[in-house]
């Protein structure tokens, strides 16, 4: 099922609040953007920032019952120094697109391309648009849920020139992959397959319940892997297409990162697509150092 560009995504602007995890992902991204531009500042590459789920440039968060508004990914990218040469902001929702358009006026010296489209379609088009010899990019994949299709990740990896921060929908995956396979309908199964690029997860995650196996058949399967094993599967999958992938940082509902509480919500990955060991080695070292300090 293709996502519609008119589809409303999840919670309404006014009712959606991030939390501690929002701060953590944005801090990681911001630190990497600075390091990336510093590392490439003496080279002639055109440096591009791509925000595939760009939002508005501001994020509303609620921590310890207090609501506050902080700079979102787009604004953080725009104020990175040394600067990027170009910005691509992809978004679906009209109200958010208007806020992104307003950034063009607010930052008149910046080359900003605001793209109204589904992130998957827009990213595939961007990957095909450049030769990726003279360009290097950082891409932030920050969906609310399971929106990023595997085919999109493949297109990104093939460029050999895009570094990716991916806020993987950990909770989305383990909620869709229900404990009892009978609770999963075909749509849910397809969405997991689109996310992971294979249906092998069905065999890896599920085994027949003893009673059901007596009668054979698919029904009655039960998930017998825990959340961590599911995430291991995700990491292995990412490593099949990207030359380097960091261990994910698990982001929880609440608490500080050293003392988390609540359910794990997301897994923050960094993946480098440049196949040259010197390039992916440096990129992942920087990303790992950042993730370790969070
Ligand atoms: C978590 S928010 C992004 C927050 C943003 N990165 C920031 O830090 O300010 C996810 C955004 O993705 C948008 N969105 C949802 N589905 C989308 C899709 N298929 N393609 C592009 N954008 C989408 C939503 O409207 C929402 O603004």
């Amino acid at each position: 099922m293709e996502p519609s560009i008119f589809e409303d995504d999840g919670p309404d602007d006014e009712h959606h609040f991030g939390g501690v995890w929002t701060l953590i992902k944005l801090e990681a991204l911001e630190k990497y953007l600075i390091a990336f531009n510093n590392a490439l500042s003496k080279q002639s590459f055109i440096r591009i920032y791509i925000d595939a789920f760009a939002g508005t440039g501001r994020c509303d968060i609620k921590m310890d019952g207090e609501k506050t508004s902080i700079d979102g990914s787009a604004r953080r990218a725009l104020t990175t120094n040394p600067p990027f040469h170009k910005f691509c902001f992809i978004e679906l929702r009209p109200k958010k697109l208007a806020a992104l358009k307003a950034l063009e006026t607010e930052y008149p010296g910046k080359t900003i391309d605001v793209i109204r489209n589904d992130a998957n379609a827009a990213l595939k088009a961007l990957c095909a648009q450049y030769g990726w010899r003279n360009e290097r990019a950082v891409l932030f994949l920050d969906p609310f849920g399971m929106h990023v299709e595997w085919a999109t990740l493949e297109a990104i990896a093939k460029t050999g020139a895009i570094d990716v921060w991916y806020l993987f929908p950990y909770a989305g995956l383990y909620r869709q992959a229900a404990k009892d396979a009978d609770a999963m309908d075909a749509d849910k199964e397809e969405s997991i397959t689109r996310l992971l690029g294979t249906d092998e997860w069905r065999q890896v995650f599920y085994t027949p319940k003893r009673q059901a196996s007596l009668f054979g058949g698919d029904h009655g399967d039960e998930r017998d892997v825990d959340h961590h094993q599911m995430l291991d599967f995700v990491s292995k999958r990412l490593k099949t297409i990207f030359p380097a992938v960091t261990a994910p940082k698990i982001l929880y509902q609440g608490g500080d990162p050293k003392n988390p509480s609540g359910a794990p919500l997301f897994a923050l990955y960094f993946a480098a697509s440049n196949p040259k060991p010197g390039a992916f080695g440096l990129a992942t070292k920087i990303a790992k150092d950042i993730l370790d300090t969070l």
Side-chain angles (χ1 to χ4, degrees), residues 20-202:
V20 181
W21 72 90
T22 312
L23 276 178
I24 298 172
K25 72 180 182 187
L26 289 172
E27 202 180 306
L29 177 75
E30 185 172 339
K31 285 182 174 163
Y32 189 79
L33 297 185
I34 296 167
F36 173 90
N37 282 291
N38 269 316
L40 294 186
S41 63
K42 301 279 186 300
Q43 301 188 43
S44 59
F45 294 117
I46 296 165
R47 303 188 298 272
I48 307 172
Y49 173 74
I50 307 170
D51 207 324
F53 298 85
T56 59
R58 301 281 302 165
C59 286
D60 294 327
I61 61 170
K62 190 148 84 177
M63 287 187 350
D64 304 324
E66 291 286 309
K67 290 175 187 170
T68 179
S69 172
I70 58 171
D71 279 351
S73 50
R75 263 175 202 283
R76 288 174 198 242
L78 284 165
T79 50
T80 300
N81 202 13
F84 283 94
H85 299 107
K86 184 166 182 189
F87 302 84
C88 302
F89 298 148
I90 303 163
E91 187 35 75
L92 269 183
R93 296 179 68 184
K95 261 207 294 190
K96 297 189 176 185
L97 284 156
L100 291 171
K101 277 273 176 205
L103 293 175
E104 291 176 329
T105 316
E106 202 180 324
Y107 295 89
K110 305 285 184 193
T111 306
I112 303 174
D113 201 358
V114 177
I115 303 165
R116 183 190 179 194
N117 203 347
D118 163 58
N120 292 290
L123 283 171
K124 283 182 203 152
L126 277 176
C127 289
Q129 179 182 331
Y130 294 99
W132 301 108
R133 270 191 209 93
N134 305 320
E135 301 86 5
R136 292 290 178 269
V138 181
L139 162 66
F140 188 32
L141 292 174
D142 186 20
F144 283 133
M146 296 174 38
H147 295 92
V148 179
E149 294 167 9
W150 190 259
T152 306
L153 293 178
E154 284 179 324
I156 294 158
K158 267 198 200 125
T159 65
I162 302 180
D163 291 346
V164 187
W165 284 89
Y166 183 10
L167 192 75
F168 182 83
Y170 192 11
L173 174 63
Y174 67 70
R175 281 189 196 131
Q176 296 279 6
K179 185 81 185 147
D180 188 339
D182 289 345
M184 269 191 307
D185 58 24
D187 275 357
K188 283 187 178 172
E189 295 208 10
E190 272 166 34
S191 71
I192 299 174
T193 298
R194 260 200 315 273
L195 181 78
L196 300 176
T198 176
D199 58 9
E200 280 166 25
W201 60 271
R202 195 69 175 72

Side-chain angles (χ1 to χ4, degrees), residues 271-291:
S273 65
N274 195 319
K276 291 186 187 142
F280 72 67
L282 177 63
T284 41
K285 188 193 173 316
I286 295 170
K288 194 177 168 310
D289 288 349
I290 291 170
L291 289 168

